[in-house]
Amino acid sequence: MSEATAKQGPDTRARILNAAESLFMTHGFEATSMRMITGQAEVNLAAVNYHFGSKDALIQEVFRRRLTELNRDRLGALEAEEALANGAPLKPSKIVAAFFGVSLKMAADTEHGGATFMRLLGRTYTEPNEFVRQFLAEEYAEVVQRFMSALYRALPDVPREEILWRFHFMMGAMSYAIAGTDALQLFAGDFDDEDPTRLMPRLMSFLLGGLRAPLPEEVIESRAIRRDAA
Amino acid sequence: MSEATAKQGPDTRARILNAAESLFMTHGFEATSMRMITGQAEVNLAAVNYHFGSKDALIQEVFRRRLTELNRDRLGALEAEEALANGAPLKPSKIVAAFFGVSLKMAADTEHGGATFMRLLGRTYTEPNEFVRQFLAEEYAEVVQRFMSALYRALPDVPREEILWRFHFMMGAMSYAIAGTDALQLFAGDFDDEDPTRLMPRLMSFLLGGLRAPLPEEVIESRAIRRDAA
Amino acid sequence: MSEATAKQGPDTRARILNAAESLFMTHGFEATSMRMITGQAEVNLAAVNYHFGSKDALIQEVFRRRLTELNRDRLGALEAEEALANGAPLKPSKIVAAFFGVSLKMAADTEHGGATFMRLLGRTYTEPNEFVRQFLAEEYAEVVQRFMSALYRALPDVPREEILWRFHFMMGAMSYAIAGTDALQLFAGDFDDEDPTRLMPRLMSFLLGGLRAPLPEEVIESRAIRRDAA
Amino acid sequence: MSEATAKQGPDTRARILNAAESLFMTHGFEATSMRMITGQAEVNLAAVNYHFGSKDALIQEVFRRRLTELNRDRLGALEAEEALANGAPLKPSKIVAAFFGVSLKMAADTEHGGATFMRLLGRTYTEPNEFVRQFLAEEYAEVVQRFMSALYRALPDVPREEILWRFHFMMGAMSYAIAGTDALQLFAGDFDDEDPTRLMPRLMSFLLGGLRAPLPEEVIESRAIRRDAA
DNA sequence: AATGAATGAGACTTCATTCAT
DNA sequence: GATGAATGAAGTCTCATTCAT
């Protein structure tokens, strides 16, 4: 009855998920075999199929477990700011901080695997695998819609299309920031892996600088034209 | 030389490279098998090993073929600006335009496969495969060093470390911009695939906004400290 | 006894047997997995092993349940005829009718699964699985012996070997007749599935025609030789 | 260049087909694994997929190889009789002999595996596997149509439906006759495996007896009714 | 220069079965 | 009486690569 007598430790399922998460980050989905996963989790090879049904389903579950929490926190941070604002439009910096701050907080959590997951997530946005993209899109649908709405309100003079693009650029910058040192060393071999907590202010000022940058002339012109036509 | 004697058209090698490039972008390296490549290239299965030695060597050749040209053009653009400047430090916008403008130009070239390659490249920066990272680092070493030097001269008041990070963020934003619509649709299903030539000014103003953003307070403080210490 | 207390309905055992019988007929023994059976029976995966011990034992029980009844009825029909005959040898048609009539009666019973079982049985005579053959042989031993004896008495002039062969042929014809429409459509796609009750007279006249057919010349000759030698 | 230097004997493909044919007969399709096949054929495990693509495709090829020949011979035998008959309807016995005689001839050929195949074929008519049935139906379509036409001409007074059923019964009797001793021993353990050449006259007289048997009364009555109506 | 055949290793998945509860 | 979890064995198929021609 004690944990000692239980055959497979506290939770076979969780052990598999943790092993998969870490291996997916290191080697990618395709290059991570079921044997590698069950080997690291010290679990029978068939256990993955028993608990998850297939490798693809395992991949989904790895993401769902974290994304549910991540997106809940993001919405929570946004709603907290909105509560404070008392109906007024939020400052863009608050919105950006709500979204990306939560990401970076999880990325800094090395104890519960949050860091591992965030690096995996950053890579996965560009994952070619069709079903993974599809799954991510579904998981993100609600939260993105909410944040975009907030940004539209916060920046009523900027064309929505432009905001969407800049949000896209910001996602890219953040992903690279988190995927982090690996890719940085790609450009500067001697780069020192320093205190990850200093990443937050660095990234935030870059993102806000980009978000507030003057619109390119063409866009300004085309807006003027549309305005005249109206 | 006639079609009758040359079974496999003008250039078997190039056909393989083109097929591989396109399939790597669509499915990733691992998920792209030799059979898929030789099938699309209409070439014998053994031809890849005959011409390139191994799958890994083929991957390298796919990149080398394009990167050599890409980085030559980048250096060319930088040197052209430097020639105009006549020894004075370049404006940061010129440097950024030299580096990322060449990228976007190739990304806009849909006729010779440049667009395909740039999307592949954007994905590959976060590729887990060790040897691919290694190879990319080598290919990029020189050009990154030259651009960083130029930026250091252009922004003598900004800590070098900070410039390195911001260059890193810029790379991330660009990669996402090019990997492009796919990832954008991930966030906004109804996003219209519009004229790719308009991407350039959009991205450029975002990048410059980020690059010129005020430094985070912490960094400013720590700089002051260091300056005092010196 | 209420539905609330009895989780698995009135009889888990019977539910398993019925599901197995139907699935075996549709997919064969090998291609029918325990999961398929327990899934269709809406029963826990381990229930089969709990109730029957193994898959092989389940197969046996599927047959035993029906064959016991079938062969009892066959012997009953034979004994009824013998009682009427009052010690005289039976007419071959009566014997054949006793054996195959009972088969066809069960094959016509679509309500209690008899039809399903008979089609399964027809297929199983040619089943490669060694232990199934062994089991069938044991189940059939007595009844075949009794019917052969009756036929020997009914046809004293026909060599016993010849009777054995013809009984064998008759079994084949009947099995195909019951496996029925499936195999017939194999030869005539537009064959109409008509009233199964009309199968009985059709098959019976064919079987009797074959049973009474003149012996091949060679057999007649060899019989003459043997008679001379005696 | 000599056979001795060739890595895999004269013909890897044929070796696989032969091994598969024999193992399918002994154990059935499902119970025969690729390992068993490649083991017996002394061939690499991957060779089956290389030469045939999949296990299912191998099964089809096993049948196609023999059925093509078998049905060609059947049509040949029928046409030979028709040539002799000079336009007159054939005697039913000739038609039956053409069809089943060829079967039995192949069944007697123990040297080139014909016997093995015919026993496999007999079993396969009742095979549950859907795609195998489909495939057999296609392979048989033409030859069955030709023989049925001949029988319709030969027996103009017998309802076509009746002929179709009796042909079906005959197929069943033949299949059992060929699947043979195995099933016979099921009914008579001490049955001696005797000269297979004597099977031909035995089966033929049974089949013709069945084919010529008087129609069941019901059929006769319903025919009379139809005739009256006409 | 190019290829058809073949191969050893390893991929994911499913199997029937067991066992503690 | 019944079950959720787990497992070792085995299944089919695909992989990148090699080699004689």
Side-chain angles (χ1 to χ4, degrees):
Chain A
M1 248 181 233
S2 71
E3 278 189 70
T5 56
K7 232 185 198 170
Q8 279 303 338
D11 195 350
T12 298
R13 239 185 93 93
R15 295 249 299 288
I16 293 173
L17 286 171
N18 292 335
E21 187 174 271
S22 137
L23 288 165
F24 287 157
M25 191 204 70
T26 311
H27 304 102
F29 301 127
E30 294 276 347
T32 299
S33 73
M34 306 279 281
R35 266 183 185 78
M36 291 163 74
I37 296 169
T38 55
Q40 175 156 323
E42 298 183 70
V43 153
N44 182 279
L45 173 60
V48 171
N49 277 75
Y50 174 74
H51 282 284
F52 302 94
S54 71
K55 187 183 179 182
D56 279 2
L58 169 63
I59 294 177
Q60 290 202 19
E61 191 53 32
V62 164
F63 281 93
R64 192 183 319 269
R65 180 175 66 151
R66 302 275 188 187
L67 283 183
T68 300
E69 181 196 352
L70 185 66
N71 283 332
R72 184 175 21 81
D73 290 354
R74 279 171 173 156
L75 287 179
L78 183 62
E79 282 159 9
E81 292 292 346
E82 285 173 338
L84 283 177
N86 212 13
L90 294 178
K91 285 174 60 181
S93 66
K94 297 292 184 189
I95 301 171
V96 170
F99 191 94
F100 294 100
V102 169
S103 304
L104 291 175
K105 207 176 105 197
M106 181 174 272
D109 167 26
T110 54
E111 268 184 57
H112 306 89
T116 302
F117 174 71
M118 286 307 295
R119 295 178 71 178
L120 171 58
L121 183 60
R123 280 187 178 160
T124 306
Y125 289 130
T126 57
E127 167 70 28
N129 189 317
E130 182 56 36
F131 101 94
V132 175
R133 311 181 61 76
Q134 181 61 32
F135 170 76
L136 274 190
E138 286 169 19
E139 284 288 316
Y140 264 98
E142 188 196 350
V143 75
V144 166
Q145 195 179 8
R146 292 275 283 107
F147 274 86
M148 293 310 297
S149 297
L151 282 173
Y152 293 160
R153 275 193 76 203
L155 300 165
D157 290 336
V158 182
R160 297 189 161 196
E161 198 180 326
E162 223 59 32
I163 295 178
L164 189 55
W165 272 108
R166 291 195 169 179
F167 190 77
H168 188 44
F169 298 155
M170 287 191 281
M171 286 289 302
M174 178 201 67
S175 295
Y176 267 50
I178 290 175
T181 327
D182 282 6
L184 249 187
Q185 285 174 336
L186 196 146
F187 302 113
D190 57 347
F191 192 76
D192 240 353
D193 202 350
E194 46 168 309
D195 188 359
T197 61
R198 291 170 65 181
L199 175 57
M200 177 70 175
R202 260 187 190 126
L203 178 59
M204 215 51 84
S205 53
F206 178 87
L207 294 182
L208 288 173
L211 179 60
R212 292 173 182 145
L215 294 180
E217 290 180 20
E218 308 177 37
V219 172
I220 295 172
E221 283 164 21
S222 73
R223 289 201 69 209
I225 293 168
R226 279 188 230 154
R227 210 176 279 162
D228 292 346
Chain B
M1 276 229 188
S2 72
E3 278 190 70
T5 55
K7 228 188 198 170
Q8 285 303 342
D11 195 350
T12 297
R13 242 184 88 93
R15 296 250 299 288
I16 293 173
L17 285 171
N18 291 336
E21 188 174 271
S22 142
L23 288 166
F24 287 157
M25 191 204 68
T26 311
H27 305 102
F29 300 127
E30 293 276 346
T32 299
S33 73
M34 306 281 276
R35 265 179 185 76
M36 290 164 74
I37 296 168
T38 54
Q40 177 156 323
E42 298 182 69
V43 154
N44 182 276
L45 172 61
V48 171
N49 280 68
Y50 176 76
H51 281 284
F52 300 94
S54 72
K55 187 184 179 182
D56 280 1
L58 169 62
I59 294 176
Q60 290 200 22
E61 191 52 31
V62 164
F63 282 93
R64 190 182 323 268
R65 179 176 67 151
R66 302 275 188 185
L67 283 182
T68 300
E69 179 195 355
L70 184 66
N71 283 331
R72 182 173 23 79
D73 289 355
R74 280 170 173 157
L75 287 180
L78 183 64
E79 282 160 8
E81 292 292 344
E82 284 172 337
L84 283 177
N86 213 9
L90 293 180
K91 286 173 58 180
S93 66
K94 297 290 185 192
I95 302 172
V96 170
F99 192 94
F100 294 100
V102 169
S103 303
L104 291 174
K105 208 177 107 198
M106 181 175 272
D109 168 27
T110 54
E111 268 185 56
H112 305 88
T116 301
F117 174 72
M118 286 307 295
R119 297 177 71 176
L120 170 60
L121 183 59
R123 281 183 177 165
T124 306
Y125 289 131
T126 57
E127 167 69 29
N129 190 316
E130 183 55 36
F131 103 94
V132 174
R133 310 181 63 75
Q134 182 61 33
F135 170 76
L136 275 190
E138 286 169 18
E139 283 288 315
Y140 264 97
E142 188 195 350
V143 76
V144 166
Q145 195 179 9
R146 291 275 284 107
F147 273 86
M148 291 311 295
S149 299
L151 280 174
Y152 294 160
R153 277 193 73 205
L155 300 165
D157 289 335
V158 183
R160 297 190 162 195
E161 198 181 325
E162 224 57 32
I163 295 179
L164 190 54
W165 271 108
R166 291 196 168 179
F167 189 77
H168 187 43
F169 298 155
M170 288 191 281
M171 286 290 300
M174 178 200 67
S175 295
Y176 267 50
I178 289 175
T181 325
D182 281 6
L184 246 188
Q185 283 173 337
L186 197 146
F187 301 113
D190 57 347
F191 192 77
D192 241 352
D193 204 350
E194 45 169 310
D195 188 358
T197 60
R198 292 170 66 179
L199 175 57
M200 177 69 175
R202 263 190 187 123
L203 177 61
M204 215 51 86
S205 53
F206 178 88
L207 294 181
L208 289 174
L211 179 60
R212 292 173 181 145
L215 293 180
E217 290 181 19
E218 310 176 38
V219 173
I220 295 173
E221 284 164 21
S222 73
R223 288 202 70 208
I225 293 167
R226 277 187 232 158
R227 210 175 279 162
D228 292 348
Chain C
M1 279 236 183
S2 72
E3 277 190 69
T5 55
K7 226 187 199 169
Q8 286 304 341
D11 195 351
T12 296
R13 243 184 87 94
R15 297 251 298 289
I16 294 173
L17 285 171
N18 291 335
E21 188 174 89
S22 141
L23 288 166
F24 287 156
M25 191 201 71
T26 311
H27 305 102
F29 300 126
E30 294 277 346
T32 300
S33 74
M34 306 282 277
R35 265 179 185 76
M36 291 164 74
I37 295 169
T38 55
Q40 176 156 322
E42 297 183 68
V43 153
N44 183 276
L45 173 60
V48 170
N49 280 69
Y50 176 75
H51 282 284
F52 300 94
S54 73
K55 188 184 180 182
D56 280 2
L58 169 62
I59 294 177
Q60 290 200 22
E61 192 52 32
V62 164
F63 281 93
R64 191 182 322 269
R65 179 175 69 151
R66 301 275 188 186
L67 282 182
T68 300
E69 179 195 354
L70 184 66
N71 283 332
R72 182 174 23 79
D73 289 355
R74 279 170 173 158
L75 285 179
L78 183 63
E79 282 159 8
E81 291 292 347
E82 284 172 337
L84 282 177
N86 213 11
L90 294 179
K91 285 174 61 180
S93 66
K94 297 291 184 188
I95 302 172
V96 170
F99 192 94
F100 294 99
V102 169
S103 304
L104 292 175
K105 209 176 105 195
M106 182 174 273
D109 169 27
T110 54
E111 269 186 55
H112 305 87
T116 301
F117 174 71
M118 285 307 295
R119 297 177 72 175
L120 170 60
L121 183 59
R123 281 182 178 166
T124 306
Y125 289 131
T126 56
E127 167 69 31
N129 189 316
E130 183 55 36
F131 103 95
V132 174
R133 309 181 62 76
Q134 182 61 33
F135 170 75
L136 274 190
E138 285 169 19
E139 283 288 316
Y140 264 99
E142 188 196 349
V143 75
V144 166
Q145 195 179 11
R146 292 275 281 108
F147 273 86
M148 292 309 297
S149 297
L151 280 174
Y152 293 161
R153 276 193 74 204
L155 298 166
D157 289 337
V158 182
R160 296 188 161 195
E161 197 181 325
E162 223 59 30
I163 294 178
L164 190 54
W165 272 108
R166 290 195 169 180
F167 190 75
H168 187 44
F169 297 155
M170 286 191 280
M171 286 290 300
M174 178 200 67
S175 295
Y176 267 50
I178 290 176
T181 325
D182 281 7
L184 246 188
Q185 283 173 336
L186 197 147
F187 301 114
D190 58 345
F191 191 76
D192 241 352
D193 203 350
E194 47 167 309
D195 187 0
T197 61
R198 291 171 66 180
L199 176 58
M200 176 70 175
R202 262 189 187 123
L203 177 62
M204 214 52 85
S205 54
F206 179 87
L207 294 182
L208 289 173
L211 179 60
R212 291 173 182 146
L215 294 180
E217 289 181 21
E218 309 177 38
V219 174
I220 296 174
E221 283 165 21
S222 72
R223 288 200 70 207
I225 292 167
R226 278 187 232 156
R227 210 176 278 164
D228 291 348
Chain D
M1 252 186 229
S2 72
E3 278 190 69
T5 56
K7 234 185 198 169
Q8 279 304 339
D11 193 352
T12 298
R13 239 185 92 94
R15 295 249 298 289
I16 293 173
L17 285 171
N18 292 336
E21 187 174 271
S22 138
L23 287 166
F24 287 157
M25 191 203 69
T26 311
H27 304 102
F29 300 126
E30 294 275 348
T32 300
S33 73
M34 307 278 281
R35 268 182 184 78
M36 291 164 73
I37 295 169
T38 54
Q40 176 156 323
E42 297 183 71
V43 153
N44 182 278
L45 175 59
V48 170
N49 278 76
Y50 174 74
H51 283 284
F52 301 94
S54 71
K55 189 182 177 183
D56 280 3
L58 169 63
I59 294 177
Q60 290 200 21
E61 191 53 32
V62 164
F63 281 93
R64 193 184 319 269
R65 180 177 66 152
R66 301 276 188 185
L67 283 182
T68 301
E69 181 195 353
L70 184 67
N71 284 331
R72 185 174 20 81
D73 289 355
R74 279 170 173 156
L75 286 179
L78 182 64
E79 281 160 9
E81 291 293 346
E82 285 172 337
L84 283 177
N86 214 12
L90 294 179
K91 285 173 61 180
S93 66
K94 297 292 184 190
I95 300 171
V96 171
F99 191 94
F100 294 100
V102 169
S103 304
L104 292 175
K105 206 176 108 197
M106 181 175 274
D109 168 26
T110 55
E111 268 185 56
H112 305 88
T116 300
F117 174 71
M118 286 306 294
R119 296 177 71 177
L120 172 59
L121 183 60
R123 281 186 176 160
T124 305
Y125 288 131
T126 57
E127 167 71 27
N129 190 316
E130 182 56 35
F131 101 93
V132 174
R133 310 182 61 76
Q134 182 61 33
F135 171 74
L136 274 191
E138 285 169 18
E139 283 289 315
Y140 264 98
E142 188 196 350
V143 74
V144 165
Q145 194 179 9
R146 290 277 282 107
F147 274 85
M148 292 310 297
S149 296
L151 280 174
Y152 293 160
R153 276 193 75 203
L155 299 166
D157 290 336
V158 182
R160 295 188 163 197
E161 199 181 325
E162 223 59 32
I163 295 178
L164 189 55
W165 272 107
R166 291 196 167 179
F167 189 75
H168 188 44
F169 298 154
M170 288 191 279
M171 287 289 301
M174 177 199 68
S175 295
Y176 267 51
I178 289 176
T181 327
D182 282 5
L184 248 186
Q185 284 173 336
L186 195 147
F187 302 113
D190 58 346
F191 191 77
D192 241 353
D193 203 350
E194 46 168 309
D195 187 359
T197 60
R198 291 169 66 180
L199 175 59
M200 176 69 175
R202 264 191 185 120
L203 177 61
M204 215 51 84
S205 54
F206 178 89
L207 293 182
L208 289 174
L211 179 60
R212 291 173 182 146
L215 294 180
E217 289 180 19
E218 310 177 37
V219 173
I220 295 173
E221 283 164 20
S222 73
R223 289 202 70 209
I225 293 166
R226 279 187 229 155
R227 210 175 278 163
D228 291 346

